[in-house]
Amino acid sequence: MAIETIRFAGVSCGRPGLVACAVVLAAGIAGCATTPGECDPTARDFFKNTGCLASGAYGERQRAMQATLAQEQGLNASFRSVLSELQAEQSKVKGDLSSRQADYARLDAAWGDLKRSLAAETKANRALAARVSAIDSSVQSRKAADVGTDVAAKQVARDDLKLKVSMLEKELAAGVYE
């Protein structure tokens, strides 16, 4: 038995218009779900894919995804910029740290030289020995504080030691301990 007429949803199609009728029928069925959110080109649904293609939902979905990609790439560029700035700051801080450590090493060496040069005088002069001992304990306290103290406190301690040593040098030059 050959199919002469197809009747679906109130539409009759004879043999000559059978192909056209099938296309119209497929387009009608496919046109049901054509929102970009429901259109996935990887889905294996012929009618849904045909509807998405016919309605332009695939193009709209692609534009939305490209806009999202551009936004995410911009955000990524911002994060990379911040990371670059942080790495530059880290390098600067490491340089500052190395510089400060070198300053402390020079200060410690200078203090050691000064103590050695005053060794004979401190044996003979109790006041000078007490003054050198007080500064030496401050130097040792500063070394111990280097481990956990914040930068501002270290700077204050260093400035205090510089002041004490400077005052000792002036006192020695003025002959206070003779």
Side-chain angles (χ1 to χ4, degrees), residues 58-74:
Y58 281 148
E60 195 175 320
R61 180 177 187 261
Q62 183 180 7
R63 284 187 295 279
M65 291 178 89
Q66 284 175 336
T68 301
L69 176 64
Q71 183 181 5
E72 293 297 323
Q73 286 174 334

Side-chain angles (χ1 to χ4, degrees), residues 115-162:
K115 267 187 7 181
R116 281 189 290 282
S117 69
L118 294 175
E121 293 177 40
T122 55
K123 288 180 185 175
N125 189 330
R126 293 181 139 253
L128 178 61
R131 181 69 183 215
V132 168
S133 178
I135 292 174
D136 196 44
S137 67
S138 294
V139 169
Q140 297 306 321
S141 296
R142 193 255 325 145
K143 284 181 181 179
D146 278 352
V147 176
T149 310
D150 65 282
V151 175
K154 289 178 186 179
Q155 185 68 33
V156 168
R158 189 174 106 189
D159 291 344
D160 184 49
L161 283 173
K162 281 183 178 180

